Amino acid sequence: MTPASDEPRGAATAVAPGERGAVRIADRVVAKIAAQAAREALGPLPKDAVPPHATVVTHHGTARVRVHLELDYPSDIGARCAAVRRHVVERVGALVDMDVREVAVHVERLHPDRTQGRA
């Protein structure tokens, strides 16, 4: 038997760029990246703290992120949340090439420093 076309068997055919398909990254993958970025931005966590977790909604190459975390207290909560926002935008953008439109940081719990006030 002979092949139906003149091309050798197994030869790649050129596909137009618009017909090649697309890569879709699942929301849960982006959420894991965002949670890891939040961990990186925070540094060491308080002793009993739960590591940050995130939820993400993606749509046409953009992402909206919600990060839930616990912080030590006293600390500059606003500055730490801003650092988390910046780092999440940077890492998600770099790793999955998405425009992060919103990062909402929810502080779930504050862990007081037990050593303060002790003499």
Side-chain angles (χ1 to χ4, degrees), residues 96-108:
V96 296
D97 194 28
M98 281 190 181
D99 180 28
V100 180
R101 298 276 171 98
E102 174 186 350
V103 178
V105 178
H106 297 268
V107 179
E108 300 286 330

Side-chain angles (χ1 to χ4, degrees), residues 41-42 71 75-86:
L42 289 174
L71 298 174
S75 66
D76 188 347
I77 296 169
R80 296 193 71 198
C81 290
V84 167
R85 280 188 204 94
R86 278 191 306 272

Side-chain angles (χ1 to χ4, degrees), residues 27-107:
D27 291 0
R28 64 189 166 99
V29 173
V30 180
K32 287 183 179 187
I33 292 169
Q36 179 61 36
R39 280 186 217 110
E40 293 168 1
L42 289 174
L45 296 174
K47 181 179 152 191
D48 298 331
V50 173
H53 65 279
T55 56
V56 174
V57 175
T58 60
H59 185 68
H60 295 296
T62 64
R64 296 188 189 279
V65 180
R66 292 193 183 281
V67 178
H68 303 267
L69 49 85
E70 299 181 6
L71 298 174
D72 52 348
Y73 184 81
S75 66
D76 188 347
I77 296 169
R80 296 193 71 198
C81 290
V84 167
R85 280 188 204 94
R86 278 191 306 272
H87 200 64
V88 166
V89 168
E90 175 188 312
R91 296 299 288 160
V92 170
L95 294 174
V96 296
D97 194 28
M98 281 190 181
D99 180 28
V100 180
R101 298 276 171 98
E102 174 186 350
V103 178
V105 178
H106 297 268
V107 179

